[in-house]
Amino acid sequence: MTAARGSSLRNTIGLQSGPDFFAALRKTGRRANAVTLVALVAGALVTYAMFYALHLPGPLATGLFCGATTNTPALAAANETLAARYAGAAGADSAVAADTTKKVLSQPTVGYSLAYPFGVLGLLLAIEAMRRLGRPNYREEEAQDTGSGSGAGSEVLRQSILVQNCNDANPAFAVSALAAQLGVVFSR
């Protein structure tokens, strides 16, 4: 059963497209990563310039950077860091400290909310600019892919099979046994 399962795995999309993915990464990956790095550094410099010139609070500037780069996990990290920093902040007047803490903790979210629409718009404009500047030749790429021998251009076979419960104690086992017998992979 193991051999049949292994042979069926060779026919999955992930394993077929893996070599093509790494070939593309070697071909254009450095350039794409360099463009990403330049965009992030430029965004950080613009954010710092706004922070310095407009005297913005640090948490607000952090939220602006997160929103402009559409990076929600970075916003969550900033909020957690601020919450941990201000968790023990209780001064002489705890009501004033609580109010100040609440204002500080809301600043990254406010900055994110302000910058996010412009971040999305900027990404869309950048993609369109790259498409126009790159002027891809789709027919030429299709011809290259068809002749690459990596499975591209191969006929895809598809068949629907109705599997009914035959009062088996373990229906999942029955389906996996059928998959092994037929040498196929079931998907949702």
Side-chain angles (χ1 to χ4, degrees):
M1 185 162 140
T2 307
R5 179 179 248 175
S7 66
S8 66
L9 286 177
R10 280 194 296 260
N11 297 323
T12 61
I13 293 173
L15 292 176
Q16 284 182 345
S17 63
D20 291 339
F21 169 77
F22 287 110
L25 188 61
R26 281 190 294 275
K27 183 178 178 183
T28 60
R30 287 191 177 119
R31 183 176 58 193
N33 285 329
V35 168
T36 301
L37 182 63
V38 167
L40 288 172
V41 169
L45 291 174
V46 169
T47 302
Y48 183 76
M50 289 177 58
F51 163 77
Y52 185 76
L54 301 175
H55 305 288
L56 297 175
L60 181 67
T62 301
L64 286 172
F65 179 74
C66 294
T69 57
T70 65
N71 193 341
T72 306
L75 174 66
N79 283 334
E80 286 181 21
T81 302
L82 283 173
R85 179 176 286 176
Y86 283 91
D93 186 0
S94 62
V96 172
D99 187 48
T100 302
T101 301
K102 186 176 178 181
K103 286 180 183 176
V104 169
L105 292 177
S106 69
Q107 288 178 359
T109 304
V110 170
Y112 181 89
S113 301
L114 292 171
Y116 186 85
F118 297 104
V120 171
L121 182 63
L123 288 172
L124 293 174
L125 292 174
I127 289 170
E128 181 62 21
M130 290 174 62
R131 188 186 68 79
R132 288 181 184 225
L133 292 174
R135 296 186 188 160
N137 186 343
Y138 296 115
R139 293 182 200 276
E140 181 181 315
E141 288 180 14
E142 183 181 356
Q144 288 175 351
D145 284 344
T146 303
S148 67
S150 64
S154 301
E155 183 181 349
V156 176
L157 301 176
R158 190 175 99 181
Q159 183 176 4
S160 297
I161 300 173
L162 176 62
V163 179
Q164 295 179 340
N165 187 354
C166 55
N167 296 324
D168 193 348
N170 188 350
F173 179 76
V175 170
S176 64
L178 180 63
Q181 181 183 10
L182 297 176
V184 297
V185 176
F186 289 102
S187 63
R188 295 179 191 242

